[in-house]
Amino acid sequence: MSGQSLLVPGEISPARSVPGSIRRPEYVGRPAPAPYSGPEVQDSDTVERMRVAGRIAAQAMEEAAKHIAPGVTTDELDRVAHEFMCDHGAYPSTLGYRGFPKSLCASVNEVICHGIPDSTVLRDGDIVNLDVTAYIGGVHGDNNATYLCGDVDEESRLLVERTRESLNRAVKAVKPGRQVNVIGRVIESYAKRFGYGVVRDFTGHGINTSFHSGLIIPHYDAPHATTVMEPGMTFTIEPMLTLGTHEYDMWEDGWTVVTKDRRRTAQFEHTLVVTATGAEILTLP
């Protein structure tokens, strides 16, 4: 297990500007988004626009990930992704979402999700999750991945590798006619083989013209998740696995979620659309 000291909040720089020519989501400047009342199944035009948004989000995440190295701040990763999305005509979906102050989430080591980029300096042996969502053409594309920083211990490296594999297995389980609970069943059964915790309180979600449509995609075996998948349905799968407990604490910033036992955690995410035979990943670079 890594001997890294625990994270503490850093200094948050001022919000980055977005060119006025770039269309904003409706929630920017408001305390919360308007409730989504549209369908979970999208038409072909919406899906095509989501391919564009998903591709930009994936490319922005890749670009930021190139800068992950000991000595780099998480705020610098935010700058890279922010500028990439703006340069490609996209708005960073997290910026201003329910007051979130940055253009991506950067979650290091024991941070499960929603880490705010700040003056925190990455250290040799850290693992860092980047969660990037792009809004363009009136729709969102959302993805994340966990990256290794320098020389990472074997336990953490395996956690990252297996969390990625849990997402791959979950995507393969998507089929029209199945209930969404098959997704969490596949993830949890795989994670249990290694004694990992599976985060329950933060889930995948429906996504389209809305960042979070209201559709919930649990990553654990949840018999109550009986929504039946249909062709054209769009949502994220984003398993969060931990070396210890799935329980969490939240920092005073109201966003940063850390494992209660402060052991490490990893996450991977794709946005996808259900097809006639399975799933198509929309967040491919």
Side-chain angles (χ1 to χ4, degrees):
M1 180 179 173
S2 171
Q4 296 282 50
S5 59
L6 298 179
L7 292 170
V8 295
E11 294 294 320
I12 301 173
S13 65
R16 305 185 195 282
S17 62
V18 177
S21 58
I22 293 177
R23 178 179 174 184
R24 271 76 168 153
E26 53 80 24
Y27 53 75
V28 174
R30 301 175 53 204
Y36 178 71
S37 58
E40 299 296 347
V41 173
Q42 306 304 312
D43 59 30
S44 59
D45 173 68
T46 302
V47 172
E48 180 55 38
R49 286 183 282 128
M50 289 181 69
R51 286 191 187 96
V52 174
R55 183 169 59 250
I56 292 173
Q59 291 172 338
M61 185 174 72
E62 274 197 343
E63 193 62 31
K66 293 176 184 176
H67 296 259
I68 291 174
V72 175
T73 65
T74 55
D75 190 59
E76 172 65 8
L77 304 179
D78 180 81
R79 181 194 65 78
V80 173
H82 176 94
E83 292 182 0
F84 185 95
M85 284 185 274
C86 290
D87 288 348
H88 289 78
Y91 185 91
S93 300
T94 60
L95 184 61
Y97 180 78
R98 296 184 180 273
F100 192 83
K102 289 294 177 179
S103 299
L104 58 69
C105 299
S107 302
V108 181
N109 296 344
E110 68 268 22
V111 179
I112 296 172
C113 59
H114 305 158
I116 300 173
D118 59 17
S119 60
T120 296
V121 176
L122 296 178
R123 302 161 296 182
D124 186 58
D126 283 343
I127 60 174
V128 55
N129 178 272
L130 301 182
D131 193 336
V132 180
T133 310
Y135 177 79
I136 189 171
V139 297
H140 300 268
D142 185 5
N143 69 163
N144 75 55
T146 303
Y147 300 90
L148 310 181
C149 180
D151 185 17
V152 174
D153 67 274
E154 181 74 356
E155 185 179 44
S156 298
R157 188 187 63 76
L158 286 172
L159 173 68
V160 171
E161 180 181 299
R162 291 164 176 167
T163 306
R164 181 191 295 111
E165 176 62 16
S166 76
L167 173 59
N168 294 340
R169 290 174 179 235
V171 171
K172 290 176 182 176
V174 172
K175 295 284 191 300
R178 289 180 174 177
Q179 295 179 345
V180 297
N181 54 32
V182 70
I183 295 169
R185 193 172 306 127
V186 165
I187 292 168
E188 186 168 39
S189 64
Y190 180 71
K192 279 185 172 179
R193 289 167 49 181
F194 311 104
Y196 295 153
V198 182
V199 172
R200 303 168 75 90
D201 295 280
F202 301 90
T203 67
H205 52 89
I207 184 170
N208 39 65
T209 58
S210 172
F211 194 172
H212 298 87
S213 72
L215 173 65
I216 300 299
I217 309 294
H219 302 122
Y220 63 98
D221 190 354
H224 63 274
T226 56
T227 300
V228 175
M229 292 182 272
E230 303 175 57
M233 188 177 286
T234 51
F235 53 83
T236 72
I237 301 176
E238 44 188 299
M240 294 157 249
L241 306 186
T242 68
L243 289 175
T245 183
H246 69 270
E247 296 181 341
Y248 70 93
D249 293 321
M250 186 175 288
W251 283 2
E252 290 184 2
D253 61 26
W255 283 105
T256 306
V257 179
V258 296
T259 54
K260 187 169 283 291
D261 58 10
R262 302 305 190 266
R263 298 197 70 192
R264 288 186 167 190
T265 176
Q267 182 185 14
F268 284 83
E269 174 187 20
H270 276 307
T271 295
L272 54 85
V273 58
V274 180
T275 67
T277 58
E280 176 196 346
I281 295 172
L282 300 177
T283 39
L284 292 175

